[in-house]
Amino acid sequence: MGSVIYLDNNATTPVAPEVMDAMEPWLWGGFGNPSSGYSLGRAAAAAIDTARGQVAALAGCESDEWIFTSGGTESINTAFHSALAMYPSKRHIVTSAVEHSATLRICEHLEAQVFEVTRLPVDALGQIDLDHLAAAIRPDTALVSLLWANNETGVVWPLEKIAALVQKTNAVLHIDAVQAFGKIPLRLEGLGVHFMSFSGHKLHAPKGIGGLYANRRVSFTPLLRGTQENARRGGTQNVTGIVAFGKAAELVAAPFDPTLRDHLESTLLAKIPGTTVNGDRAHRLPNTANLSFVGIDSGDALILLDERGVCCSAGSSCATGSAKPSHVLKAMGLTDTQAKSSLRLSLSRLTTADEIARASEILPAVIAKLRAASPVDSPVYFS
Ligand code: PLP
């Protein structure tokens, strides 16, 4: 990757060297189909079992509650499909205004059919109000689907409280834990969540492998029908991806150290006047900083940063390139201009102190250059 400073780990992460080593044998000698009865197939099936144990250990659930999928998006789609099949007469869904596009698109699709969707607002810090959640759940609510940690701001919602609250109702609870998994500790056992979605490429496994937790006590309706994954997800398993996800889960078991993120953030706040942090700093993933820089356009900033070898994003990666301000920042009350002056910097366990030191020089220079090119009139911006 040369001298690229990669600060877009919420979009995706590089595959860890240990994960590459773990995967490789399953591309060559161990290429058998895990459903085949001869030893080559049985070896692949055993590798899947090992990986299932590794991811389940990180999630704090039983191995048989973990279904391997193609990624977070498939897991979310499956959770919706399965949950809505449980109560065919219930036609109401509760979600939030700041979900990932996967959830947003499913809800729009369902809304265009027979479902009614309530989207909970967030406050200026990106936090959800539990009273709003309690009030939104109705007797005909089939599903509550919420993020655990937001992909744009890193804001973490109170999972235990949400689960306890939804447990008092008859609604099914799905949590999108794609960003949180491997960054903050999780113990699913006894939590009361019915479904939880995961993705390997956010924690140093390759793209195209994901996971879905389905609580044992919940009836399950597959989205992809077939025999694999105990008939819960059809299709020959992605053995290399599964092995990689298992190894990656093992590697991220230790707590994620926020020191480098904190250092980058405090340096930028000190060096660049007119910088604000978006999101609840007290309840945030340890790797994410979402900052607004008064007087700049994040699209222009991304171009200059890219020229200088820094990869980061404006809002979510899916929103990058589109002129639309982030729906997450807008929901938090930012104006279009403020939302469009924001950058998301997201670190990984592979980010080095040297990269952060270089980014701490490059970012202030880029912001200064952009401001010099189109100065902001009002001095109050920089108070
Ligand atoms: N949910 C969140 C919060 C995400 O950040 C992402 C990926 O950006 C997804 C879901 C989708 O995951 P995948 O890319 O594995 O489909």
Side-chain angles (χ1 to χ4, degrees):
M1 240 192 262
S3 62
V4 163
I5 303 169
Y6 186 72
L7 296 177
D8 203 15
N9 289 280
N10 285 9
T12 196
T13 56
V15 174
E18 298 89 335
V19 172
M20 293 268 263
D21 289 346
M23 284 169 70
E24 208 192 327
W26 303 100
L27 288 165
W28 295 103
F31 62 86
N33 186 322
S35 300
S36 299
Y38 41 79
S39 56
L40 202 59
R42 288 201 311 274
I48 291 177
D49 283 348
T50 303
R52 204 183 305 279
Q54 288 165 317
V55 289
L58 188 65
C61 66
E62 296 295 331
S63 295
D64 64 3
E65 293 177 306
W66 182 285
I67 302 157
F68 283 111
T69 67
S70 69
T73 302
E74 184 192 320
S75 300
I76 296 168
N77 274 271
T78 307
F80 268 76
H81 177 76
S82 194
L84 298 181
M86 224 177 290
Y87 300 112
S89 60
K90 293 189 177 187
R91 299 289 169 84
H92 179 237
I93 295 162
V94 176
T95 185
S96 85
V98 297
E99 296 297 308
H100 183 264
S101 55
T103 301
L104 295 178
R105 293 295 100 81
I106 299 168
C107 287
E108 284 165 13
H109 171 71
L110 291 168
E111 222 168 12
Q113 300 176 352
V114 291
F115 288 88
E116 193 188 331
V117 179
T118 300
R119 293 173 181 80
L120 299 170
V122 292
D123 65 16
L125 295 179
Q127 276 297 345
I128 199 161
D129 183 325
L130 293 178
D131 291 336
H132 285 162
L133 172 59
I137 301 172
R138 317 187 309 213
D140 66 334
T141 303
L143 172 66
V144 175
S145 182
L146 294 171
L147 283 164
W148 184 11
N150 189 278
N151 43 303
E152 295 193 26
T153 59
V155 171
V156 175
W157 287 346
L159 179 61
E160 289 83 3
K161 288 182 182 163
I162 290 170
L165 194 156
V166 178
Q167 235 179 350
K168 289 187 201 142
T169 73
N170 288 320
V172 173
L173 177 60
H174 164 249
I175 297 290
D176 175 352
V178 165
Q179 288 294 340
F181 194 48
K183 293 177 190 143
I184 50 178
L186 171 62
R187 182 153 187 81
L188 275 163
E189 194 194 338
L191 192 63
V193 169
H194 301 104
F195 295 104
M196 191 175 270
S197 293
F198 308 96
S199 179
H201 74 101
K202 309 292 184 182
L203 50 117
H204 305 293
K207 293 150 200 68
I209 183 68
L212 176 66
Y213 162 82
N215 187 300
R216 277 177 168 179
R217 289 183 298 281
V218 126
S219 80
F220 188 84
T221 305
L223 179 66
L224 301 183
R225 287 179 188 272
T227 54
Q228 294 85 355
E229 295 293 291
N230 213 2
R232 292 176 298 179
R233 196 277 183 180
T236 302
Q237 285 110 324
N238 171 3
V239 181
T240 44
I242 289 172
V243 168
F245 202 174
K247 184 67 191 176
E250 209 178 73
L251 291 176
V252 301
F256 192 114
D257 183 354
T259 306
L260 286 179
R261 187 279 310 269
D262 290 346
H263 179 67
L264 176 64
E265 190 171 82
S266 56
T267 306
L268 297 180
L269 284 166
K271 281 191 177 179
I272 310 174
T275 302
T276 47
V277 177
N278 297 314
D280 184 351
R281 293 174 83 176
H283 303 97
R284 209 166 38 141
L285 291 178
N287 79 316
T288 308
N290 189 310
L291 305 173
S292 288
F293 304 96
V294 167
I296 67 131
D297 178 88
S298 51
D300 297 338
L302 290 184
I303 294 167
L304 292 191
L305 288 167
D306 187 29
E307 282 170 11
R308 288 155 181 75
V310 178
C311 301
C312 62
S313 73
S316 73
S317 60
C318 306
T320 302
S322 72
K324 278 175 103 180
S326 146
H327 70 288
V328 175
L329 299 179
K330 290 276 290 169
M332 289 162 62
L334 273 69
T335 63
D336 282 10
T337 308
Q338 287 168 330
K340 282 182 168 187
S341 70
S342 305
L343 294 176
R344 176 185 71 182
L345 307 163
S346 50
L347 287 67
S348 83
R349 290 164 193 266
L350 304 182
T351 306
T352 64
D354 176 60
E355 287 174 306
I356 294 304
R358 282 155 57 211
S360 303
E361 298 293 324
I362 294 169
L363 271 147
V366 162
I367 304 296
K369 186 171 173 148
L370 289 169
R371 284 176 174 170
S374 55
V376 176
D377 299 334
S378 169
V380 297
Y381 283 141
F382 299 99
S383 62

